[in-house]
Amino acid sequence: MSEPDEIPLPSQLWKSMTESQRLQAAEAFWRDTEIPELQVEAATLLAQRLKARPRFIAGLPIEKKARHLVRMPAMPDVLAARLLVSYHLGCQRPMMGAFLDRLGIPHEDGLINDDLDQAIPPEKLDEAAQALKASFPAEDVRLYFATLLAQDPETWGGLKKQL
């Protein structure tokens, strides 16, 4: 990442993930039935890279599409942002739920029910962040916090110092 005060871009976060994490994210992405337009965009990018037709890419098994997506040399931020969300929803729900519980934010299995209309007080974020770091692997927590910051810097800005 760059400067400590700078919020990492989703594409930078994607590159910072392990290959295993990226593969899990890509598989979750292709399994998600609520994002067909992003899946078409990803299939189009893969088709261009592989010199194939998008229809051919769309017909590949999820595991193959996921492996190809992981190998993309440059990931657009919009797509990387959704892959990060897919990863967390597919693989990190217990951690997400624990953090939101600690903050007192209503959620359904780690997914926030309503839009948050204001920033979370820094002292509340610090306390919840410390609790999460004590319970989950540091790198998973860092990626989660960086993803929250990339999604909504106004609400989650207090997490900058946790990276």
Side-chain angles (χ1 to χ4, degrees):
M1 313 283 145
S2 336
E3 299 294 313
D5 285 344
E6 208 172 293
I7 296 170
L9 295 171
S11 57
Q12 292 170 314
L13 294 174
W14 174 254
K15 286 179 184 176
S16 77
M17 295 170 72
T18 66
E19 186 170 342
S20 172
Q21 287 173 319
R22 288 194 309 265
L23 189 57
Q24 289 174 319
E27 287 177 358
F29 170 84
W30 289 115
R31 284 189 173 87
D32 192 336
T33 59
E34 295 182 21
I35 54 166
E37 64 286 339
L38 281 174
Q39 291 169 337
V40 167
E41 182 181 331
T44 302
L45 287 170
L46 288 177
Q48 290 170 350
R49 181 174 183 266
L50 300 172
K51 298 182 182 358
R53 295 177 189 253
R55 188 176 180 140
F56 170 76
I57 300 296
L60 291 173
I62 286 174
E63 295 75 18
K64 261 196 168 168
K65 288 190 284 194
R67 281 196 306 273
H68 285 302
L69 202 53
V70 167
R71 293 187 192 116
M72 286 280 296
M75 186 64 65
D77 280 316
V78 171
L79 191 52
R82 185 56 211 197
L83 284 158
L84 288 162
V85 169
S86 295
Y87 172 72
H88 285 96
L89 291 175
C91 305
Q92 299 294 343
R93 281 187 186 255
M95 179 179 63
M96 294 165 58
F99 185 60
L100 297 173
D101 286 344
R102 195 75 179 201
L103 290 170
I105 296 174
H107 66 93
E108 193 170 313
D109 198 20
L111 192 58
I112 298 173
N113 297 335
D114 297 316
D115 286 338
L116 300 174
D117 53 2
Q118 59 187 6
I120 314 262
E123 61 280 353
K124 198 171 183 181
L125 271 178
D126 288 345
E127 184 268 320
Q130 294 313 312
L132 205 65
K133 287 178 178 181
S135 304
F136 293 90
E139 193 51 34
D140 291 344
V141 173
R142 186 205 62 79
L143 180 61
Y144 177 49
F145 289 168
T147 300
L148 288 173
L149 269 168
Q151 286 180 321
D152 187 353
E154 288 180 24
T155 301
W156 303 107
L159 291 174
K160 280 184 194 175
K161 61 184 169 188
Q162 301 296 331
L163 302 180

